[in-house]
Amino acid sequence: MSEPGSPVLASRTRSKAWAAYTADPLSVIGLVIVVAIVALAIFAPFVTPYPDHVGPTGDFAAMNAAPSADFWFGTDVIGRDLFTRIIYGYRLSLIMAIVVLAIATPIGVIVGLVAGYKGGWTDYVLMRITDVFLAVPPLVLAMAIMGFLEPTLMNGMLAITAMWWPWYARLIYNVTRAEAQEGYVLAAETVGASTAHILFREILPNCWPSILTKMTLDIGFVILMASSLSFLGLGVQPPTPDLGSMVADGAKYMPDAWWLTIYPALAILLIVLGFNLVGDGLREAFEAES
Amino acid sequence: MSNILRSLLHRLGAALIVMIGISMLIFAIARVMPGDPARIALGPNATAEQVAALRLERHLDASLPVQYWEFVKSLATGDLGKSLYTNRPVTTDIAQFLPATLELVFVSGILMVLIGLPLGILSAHFRGRFPDHVGRLISLLGVCTPAFVWGVILQLVFGYFWGWFPIEGRLLEGTPIPPGPTGFYLIDMAMAGNGAGFLDALHHLILPALALAMSGLGQTARLTRSNMNEVYDRPYVEMARAYGFPARRIATRYAFRPALIPTLTILGLEFAAMLGNAFLVEKVFGWPGLSRYGVEVILRKDLDAIVGTVLVIAAAFLIVNIIVDILVNVINPRIRLAAGRA
C-alpha cells in the first residue's frame, strides 16, 4: 500500500505494476490486439475500404470473390466486402459488451456487497436468488429470455445482462465476506459510520481490482455470448453486421466460400483472446501493486 | 457412511430449493412477456372463443400465485404441456431429442477430462519449458473460442478438406437407427452387438464432441496446471525431491491428488456450459438433438415447449452437480469429515 499524498511512492508502485504487466509478453500482445481492434472499430467509417457495404446492398459485380488485394477477406453472396463488415461487427460487439457490463456490474456488485456485509436472512435470500440464475446454463437462460421477446439488439443486451449480474454478485460476495472481518471495517463501525459509507467507501475500494480484472475478461466473454446468440439466429437481425450471424450465414456456403465462415470466426477468436490476455495481465499487475 | 448420506441429503435439499427457484424464474419470464400467452400460442388465425377456451384451460385469468400453483401441480405429475410446433406432449418431444444431446455432452465431458487433465499435468511438470507453452496456448485458445467457431474450423479442416470425418448427422445415411433402449447410439449399437454401427456412431461423434469439449478442456488444463504448481511449491514435495523420489512418482503420488479436488469442482460448471454450448455445436453439425427443437420453439414462441426445455436442461445440470459434489466428497477426506461434523 502506498501512502496517500506521496507521489514518489505512488509512481513507484505504478511503475512496478506496469513492469509486472509487461513482464509477460502475452499480456503485451493482448494489449496490442485490443488497442488495434478498438481503434479500428472507433474509426470504422474512415479506415474500412467499403463503408457503404454495411447495409443490405453490395457490389454484384464482385459476388463471392475470394480474398484478394481489393477484398482482403473476400466478399459475400451479394458482393459485400467482408473486411468492412467484420470491423463494423467489432463495433457493434464492443458497444454491446460495454452496455451489458455497465448495467450488470453495478447490480451484481451491490447485491454482493449487501449480502456479504449484512449476513443473516438478507444474505440467504439474495444468494439463493443468485444461485438460481447460476444454475441454468447461461446460454440457455439467455435463449429462453430471447424466446419471450423479439430478437432485437436491445433485447439481446437485456437477455445477456439478466444472466451476467449473478457472477459479479458471487465474486463480490466472497470478497466482502473476507473484508468485513478486517480491522478497518470494525473501526468504521465503532465510530458509527453508516452502512452505505462502510459498503461504498470502505469495502468497495478493496473490490476494485477484482471488479476491473473481471470486467476486462468479460468484455471478451460478453462478445462471445452475444455472437453465440446471434449464431443461433436469436440476436441482432440482418442486415446489421454481426460476427455471430456472419458465421452462421457463411456456413451455408462451406466449403467453397470458406472465407465467409472462417474470417468472422477468427475475428471472434481474436477479440476474445485479446481481452483475456489483457485481463490476465491486469491481474498480475494488481497483485504486484498490493 | 452416514456422514456421506447426511451431506448427500443436505445437497439434495439445496438442489430442490434451487429447482423451485428455477421454476419460479421461468414462470416469471414466461408471464412478464408482453402479449396474451393464449393468443400467441394459438396464432393470429384463432377465433376469440378458442383463445378464451385456452385461457380457461390454462387458468390464465386466475391470479399469478394460483397460476404458479397450477403450473407446479402439472410439473409434479410430469406434465410439461403440449408443444404447438409438433402438436405432441412436450415430454414426448424432449424424450426424443434429449438423448442425442446428452450423448454428445457426455462424450465431450470424457474428452475434456481425458485431454484436459494430462495437458495440465504436462504443463505443470515442464513448467516454463516448451510443453508448458504449448499446453498453455491450447488451453487459452480453448477458453477464448466459442464452441461454434471450433465447430466450423474442425468441420472445414477435418470434414471438408481432409475428409477424415463425416460433416454432419449421427449416422451414415441408410444406417438403420438402433431400436433403443437408451437413445445413446453408442450404447444401443453396443447392446445390439452391431460393431460397424458402433464405429459409425463414434466416427460421427468425434468432431462435434471435440468442438464442444475445447472450452472445458482448456479450463481444466489451466486449473490443473496452476493447482499442481501450487502443490509443487509446498515443503513436502521439496522433501520428497530431497529424498530422491523419481519425478513421475512425485507428480502422480503427491501433486496430482490434491490438485484434482479443485479441478473436479469446476467440472460441474463446465458441464453446465456444455449443455448450453451443445446448442451451438448441434447447429454446426446438424446434430438431431434438443438444439434444433429448442431454437425452433423459441422462434415460434411455443411457450410450453420453451419452459419444458429450459427446465429439463436445468434439472440435468443440477443432477450432474450433485454427482460432482459426491465425487469430491469421496476423494477429499477433509470435506468428508467436515460434513460429518456439521
Side-chain angles (χ1 to χ4, degrees):
Chain A
M1 274 286 156
S2 68
E3 277 174 58
S6 153
V8 181
L9 265 182
S11 78
R12 196 175 297 158
T13 49
R14 202 162 300 144
S15 66
K16 210 175 163 203
W18 177 246
Y21 185 90
T22 49
D24 190 348
L26 280 178
S27 312
V28 179
I29 294 174
L31 192 64
V32 171
I33 295 174
V34 165
V35 168
I37 290 178
V38 171
L40 281 174
I42 291 175
F43 299 110
F46 310 107
V47 296
T48 51
Y50 307 92
D52 49 331
H53 285 192
V54 171
T57 52
D59 176 5
F60 282 109
M63 280 175 358
N64 278 331
S68 65
D70 287 337
F71 304 103
W72 294 351
F73 293 173
T75 64
D76 66 10
V77 277
I78 54 172
R80 295 180 298 193
D81 178 46
L82 213 59
F83 178 71
T84 304
R85 290 182 64 77
I86 285 176
I87 299 299
Y88 274 90
Y90 271 146
R91 205 176 201 202
L92 183 83
S93 304
L94 285 167
I95 292 172
M96 279 190 88
I98 289 166
V99 172
V100 165
L101 291 176
I103 303 169
T105 311
I107 298 176
V109 168
I110 290 172
V111 169
L113 278 173
V114 171
Y117 179 67
K118 283 273 181 188
W121 270 103
T122 324
D123 173 355
Y124 190 81
V125 171
L126 285 177
M127 292 326 285
R128 287 303 81 72
I129 294 175
T130 310
D131 281 349
V132 167
F133 278 87
L134 294 178
V136 188
L139 182 64
V140 174
L141 184 58
M143 283 174 64
I145 296 173
M146 288 308 278
F148 298 114
L149 300 166
E150 290 306 315
T152 61
L153 176 63
M154 207 56 210
N155 289 336
M157 292 195 284
L158 187 79
I160 299 172
T161 307
M163 47 135 301
W164 218 273
W165 69 267
W167 299 95
Y168 284 87
R170 173 78 31 223
L171 173 76
I172 296 306
Y173 172 77
N174 289 333
V175 179
T176 308
R177 286 268 300 223
E179 294 289 332
Q181 311 297 326
E182 295 286 328
Y184 69 88
V185 175
L186 187 66
E189 281 167 352
T190 315
V191 299
S194 68
T195 306
H197 177 92
I198 292 172
L199 288 184
F200 296 108
R201 288 295 171 83
E202 303 288 345
I203 298 178
L204 181 62
N206 291 301
C207 300
W208 277 122
S210 321
I211 297 175
L212 287 179
T213 309
K214 183 158 174 57
M215 280 179 85
T216 313
L217 290 168
D218 277 356
I219 295 177
F221 289 127
V222 170
I223 291 173
L224 193 154
M225 181 60 62
S227 64
S228 300
L229 271 182
S230 54
F231 175 77
L232 291 172
L234 300 172
V236 182
Q237 298 299 306
T240 315
D242 176 279
L243 299 174
S245 37
M246 283 160 87
V247 175
D249 292 342
K252 296 171 201 151
Y253 306 98
M254 286 256 259
D256 304 318
W258 52 268
W259 56 88
L260 291 179
T261 318
I262 294 305
Y263 283 122
L266 292 178
I268 299 171
L269 191 163
L270 192 67
I271 192 169
V272 184
L273 182 70
F275 278 104
N276 245 278
L277 294 176
V278 172
D280 284 347
L282 273 184
R283 187 180 297 146
E284 300 285 324
F286 279 127
E287 272 168 18
E289 200 178 22
S290 58
Chain B
M1 199 59 207
S2 75
N3 291 344
I4 295 178
L5 201 67
R6 201 179 313 161
S7 80
L8 176 65
L9 282 178
H10 182 76
R11 271 153 230 271
L12 282 177
L16 190 68
I17 292 178
V18 171
M19 201 62 213
I20 293 172
I22 292 172
S23 74
M24 284 180 174
L25 176 67
I26 302 297
F27 177 79
I29 294 174
R31 284 301 179 272
V32 296
M33 178 192 62
D36 177 1
R39 167 58 69 188
I40 292 169
L42 292 172
N45 296 326
T47 63
E49 287 79 37
Q50 285 172 313
V51 172
L54 189 67
R55 286 191 70 86
L56 191 68
E57 188 196 321
R58 298 286 175 81
H59 313 278
L60 285 174
D61 296 314
S63 68
L64 280 181
V66 173
Q67 286 191 39
Y68 178 70
W69 178 240
E70 293 296 333
F71 172 65
V72 170
K73 268 205 310 203
S74 56
L75 279 188
T77 57
D79 178 12
L80 291 174
K82 200 168 134 189
S83 163
L84 301 148
Y85 162 47
T86 57
N87 211 11
R88 295 188 307 184
V90 172
T91 42
T92 313
D93 285 342
I94 290 177
Q96 181 188 338
F97 297 115
L98 186 64
T101 299
L102 285 184
E103 181 173 45
L104 177 62
V105 170
F106 280 133
V107 173
S108 294
I110 292 168
L111 284 182
M112 167 173 99
V113 175
L114 284 188
I115 302 174
L117 278 183
L119 206 61
I121 295 170
L122 280 180
S123 264
H125 199 73
F126 295 97
R127 173 154 42 162
R129 281 185 279 161
F130 183 70
D132 186 21
H133 296 314
V134 174
R136 284 177 68 196
L137 186 71
I138 294 175
S139 45
L140 192 63
L141 286 177
V143 173
C144 293
T145 312
F148 68 88
V149 168
W150 278 119
V152 293
I153 291 174
L154 292 176
Q155 189 183 46
L156 185 74
V157 174
F158 297 104
Y160 285 115
F161 285 172
W162 292 349
W164 291 356
F165 291 97
I167 309 288
E168 56 178 27
R170 288 179 85 185
L171 291 172
L172 281 177
E173 227 168 301
T175 309
I177 293 168
T182 60
F184 285 40
Y185 284 3
L186 287 183
I187 297 177
D188 290 348
M189 288 293 191
M191 282 173 75
N194 184 346
F198 179 85
L199 287 180
D200 187 27
L202 188 65
H203 198 203
H204 280 78
L205 249 170
I206 287 175
L207 282 190
L210 191 60
L212 187 54
M214 284 307 289
S215 162
L217 181 162
Q219 205 71 264
T220 311
R222 236 181 190 191
L223 219 82
T224 311
R225 172 182 181 273
S226 64
N227 290 333
M228 278 188 68
N229 278 338
E230 205 174 290
V231 179
Y232 272 139
D233 293 338
R234 296 263 175 84
Y236 66 84
V237 173
E238 200 145 317
M239 176 109 146
R241 284 216 181 93
Y243 270 116
F245 287 178
R248 181 180 301 175
R249 180 161 158 202
I250 295 174
T252 54
R253 207 51 89 70
Y254 298 98
F256 180 59
R257 198 163 136 140
L260 189 61
I261 292 160
T263 312
L264 255 183
T265 47
I266 68 145
L267 286 186
L269 280 177
E270 289 307 323
F271 192 85
M274 278 186 184
L275 277 170
N277 288 339
F279 280 73
L280 303 166
V281 173
E282 286 182 11
K283 180 169 175 177
V284 174
F285 290 96
W287 193 260
L290 210 51
S291 160
R292 200 184 297 165
Y293 179 72
V295 172
E296 196 64 38
V297 296
I298 282 173
L299 290 175
R300 287 167 194 259
K301 305 243 173 278
D302 190 343
L303 286 189
D304 285 358
I306 300 175
V307 171
T309 309
V310 176
L311 279 178
V312 165
I313 289 180
F317 167 54
L318 277 178
I319 291 168
V320 170
N321 265 333
I322 293 174
I323 295 173
V324 169
D325 269 350
I326 293 170
L327 281 180
V328 171
N329 269 355
V330 170
I331 290 183
N332 188 353
R334 223 169 4 189
I335 297 181
R336 196 159 61 206
L337 287 174
R341 249 181 256 127

